[in-house]
């Protein structure tokens, strides 16, 4: 058989399998109750913030408005910001005794900024707090969000949980790339199986909005265990799993939303800083990129040349995007029709990230991605 036809058939088979799996996951994905029970045990909400002066005030206001949390503390760490993040945060606290704004220290050798900020917050948290909730400054929460997440955590018997926020994508670049994040999870991760398996690689923990039981966090070594990791959330999930912790991701699109990046340059820098590490070793990165290209780029290219099999593969990719968008609150059309271009751009960003890492040129918020030694 012609190698091109064989590759097209293989890609179409993968695309169809991915679409079917996304349907299964969309049916099984847990959804927190928007009318949760009161969380009676102590909770610490921890917000690492670096150069977030334009967002931190809104974030603190949304945390102060959280319901069903009678024993909550809110800690905000100004992570050596070069703007007015600390001043804005203190003004937003407005004398609320539940809110404390801390001044962070620079990361020591071997540490990256985000893990060090989170570790400082965990150390400063109430030692009696049974659950640590980590929230990034760019996340917007509904008043029930934290309680709904914790209610699901306790009902399910999880040790950790991360609701997937609804991704806000406004520019063309964002609409092209951002939907791939929820799509990739629903397409590739067996979510219900991943909740209780002992395999670290299937642990799904998204750092922007997540909760971890304190005993599980300490047993895993906390953020000190992932001190030099640019994808500290993914690696913390792996560390938790290695100690026997169970948990996973749930649908958070109705309780939280996030605009991670604004425009092409911000998006390229944001994903570029970590894409080289997201799949593990360079060999795994190469394999994943090859599989993505085979499944979602080759079939539509073949379809342009008149291949019926390629047309089926293209349709399967678009269908999978529609399924994930519908389930997680994203745009469906016309955005899903550009799925091959989305995947191609993601592959390009990942390749650029690998090159940037090798050259030592990757930075984020005025800090190098590779920790100092």
């Amino acid at each position: 058989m012609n190698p091109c036809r064989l590759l097209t058939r293989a890609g179409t088979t993968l695309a169809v399998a991915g679409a079917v799996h996304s349907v299964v996951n969309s049916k099984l994905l847990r959804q927190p109750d928007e009318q949760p029970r009161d969380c009676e045990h102590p909770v610490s909400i921890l917000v690492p913030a670096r150069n977030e002066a334009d967002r931190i005030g809104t974030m603190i206001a949304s945390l102060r408005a959280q319901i069903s949390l009678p024993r909550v503390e809110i800690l905000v760490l100004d992570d050596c910001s070069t703007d007015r993040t600390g001043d804005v945060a203190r003004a937003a606290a407005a004398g609320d005794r539940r809110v404390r704004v801390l001044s962070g220290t620079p990361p020591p050798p071997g540490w990256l900024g985000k893990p060090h900020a989170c570790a400082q917050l965990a150390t400063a948290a109430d030692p009696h707090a049974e659950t640590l909730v980590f929230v990034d400054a760019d996340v917007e929460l509904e008043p029930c969000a934290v309680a709904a997440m914790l209610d699901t955590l306790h009902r399910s018997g999880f040790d950790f949980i991360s609701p997937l926020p609804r991704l806000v994508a406004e520019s063309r670049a964002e609409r092209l790339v951002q939907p791939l994040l929820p799509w990739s999870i629903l397409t590739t991760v067996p979510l219900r199986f991943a909740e209780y398996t002992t395999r670290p690689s299937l642990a799904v923990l998204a750092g922007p909005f997540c909760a971890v039981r304190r005993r599980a966090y300490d047993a895993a070594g906390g953020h000190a265990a992932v001190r030099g990791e640019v994808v500290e959330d993914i690696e913390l999930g792996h560390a938790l799993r290695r100690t026997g912790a169970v948990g996973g991701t749930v649908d958070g699109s109705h309780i939280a939303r996030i605009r991670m990046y604004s425009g092409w340059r911000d998006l390229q820098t944001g994903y570029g800083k970590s894409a080289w590490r997201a799949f593990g070793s360079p060999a795994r990165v190469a394999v994943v990129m090859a599989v993505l290209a085979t499944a979602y780029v080759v079939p539509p290219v073949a379809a342009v040349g008149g291949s019926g099999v390629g047309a089926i593969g293209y349709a399967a990719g678009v269908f999978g995007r529609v399924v994930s968008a519908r389930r997680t609150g994203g745009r469906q059309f016309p955005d899903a029709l550009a799925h091959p271009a989305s995947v191609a751009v993601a592959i390009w960003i990942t390749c650029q990230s690998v090159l940037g890492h090798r050259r030592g040129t990757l930075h984020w918020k005025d800090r190098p991605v590779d920790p100092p030694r």
Side-chain angles (χ1 to χ4, degrees):
M1 181 181 291
N2 184 298
C4 292
R5 289 184 179 180
L6 185 62
L7 191 62
T8 300
R9 288 192 176 186
T12 295
T13 300
L14 289 171
V16 170
V20 171
H21 192 238
S22 67
V23 171
V24 173
N25 268 337
S26 70
K27 299 293 185 181
L28 297 178
L29 188 63
R30 299 177 190 267
Q31 181 169 312
D33 191 340
E34 293 182 69
Q35 296 182 328
R37 299 175 298 180
D38 284 358
C39 181
E40 298 296 341
H41 70 265
V43 177
S44 293
I45 301 178
L46 311 177
V47 185
R50 177 173 171 82
N51 295 344
E52 299 286 2
D54 58 339
R55 292 172 169 172
I56 195 64
T58 301
M59 158 53 62
I60 292 176
S62 73
L63 292 178
R64 294 178 61 195
Q66 293 298 301
I67 62 173
S68 303
L69 299 172
R71 303 177 66 186
V72 66
E73 69 169 358
I74 301 166
L75 304 185
V76 180
L77 184 122
D78 175 16
D79 183 19
C80 305
S81 298
T82 57
D83 63 6
R84 298 183 62 253
T85 294
D87 294 336
V88 174
R90 292 180 181 88
D96 190 327
R97 297 180 63 182
R98 300 172 301 169
V99 184
R100 285 192 288 152
V101 180
L102 312 175
S103 296
T105 59
W111 285 77
L112 288 181
K114 179 73 175 290
H116 186 238
C118 290
Q120 291 176 82
L121 284 163
T123 299
D126 179 359
H128 300 294
E130 295 182 16
T131 310
L132 304 178
V133 176
F134 293 94
V135 191
D136 282 357
D138 51 3
V139 178
E140 299 179 34
L141 301 176
E142 295 297 322
C144 67
V146 174
M149 174 175 63
L150 296 180
D151 190 28
T152 304
L153 177 80
H154 294 294
R155 286 179 183 272
S156 61
F158 286 170
D159 296 301
F160 63 90
I161 189 172
S162 59
L164 283 175
R166 179 171 64 85
L167 285 173
V168 178
E170 297 183 3
S171 69
R172 291 180 181 178
E174 294 168 72
R175 290 172 61 181
L176 188 65
V177 177
Q178 286 294 72
L180 292 180
L181 185 55
W183 167 82
S184 64
I185 293 175
L186 264 66
T187 301
T188 65
V189 182
L191 293 177
R192 279 301 181 93
F193 175 74
E195 291 174 352
Y196 297 103
T197 182
T198 57
R199 294 186 61 183
S201 61
L202 290 179
V204 182
L205 185 67
F209 184 37
C210 63
V212 186
R213 293 183 190 268
R214 185 63 185 254
R215 55 174 172 74
Y217 179 83
D218 290 341
H223 279 85
V226 296
R227 60 174 67 89
E229 295 291 346
V230 66
V231 286
E232 84 292 332
D233 51 353
I234 294 175
E235 294 302 326
L236 180 60
H238 294 171
L240 287 163
R241 186 71 80 196
R242 283 192 288 269
T243 60
V246 297
T249 192
V250 299
D251 176 19
S253 60
H254 59 301
I255 60 174
R257 57 192 174 276
I258 180 174
R259 186 180 184 187
M260 294 174 63
Y261 307 117
S262 302
W264 169 249
R265 180 173 295 181
D266 195 28
L267 185 148
Q268 181 184 8
T269 304
Y271 279 117
K273 75 178 186 301
S274 58
W276 64 273
R277 188 70 177 93
F279 305 104
S281 67
R284 289 182 179 177
V285 172
V287 170
V288 171
M289 295 304 104
V291 170
L292 286 175
T294 300
Y296 300 107
V297 178
V298 170
V301 170
V304 172
S307 170
V309 173
I312 293 173
Y314 168 64
V318 170
F319 178 73
R321 269 283 292 272
V322 170
V323 169
S324 69
R326 180 178 298 175
R327 189 65 178 86
T328 59
R331 285 188 178 94
Q332 298 175 41
F333 293 104
D335 299 40
L337 298 175
H339 188 59
S342 297
V343 173
V345 170
I347 292 173
W348 183 83
I349 290 175
T350 302
C351 291
Q352 292 297 308
S353 177
V354 171
L355 290 175
H357 171 62
R358 289 181 176 179
R359 295 168 180 167
T361 59
L362 299 179
H363 287 72
W364 180 244
K365 294 191 175 181
D366 303 321
R367 283 173 171 167
V369 166
D370 291 312
R373 299 296 177 184

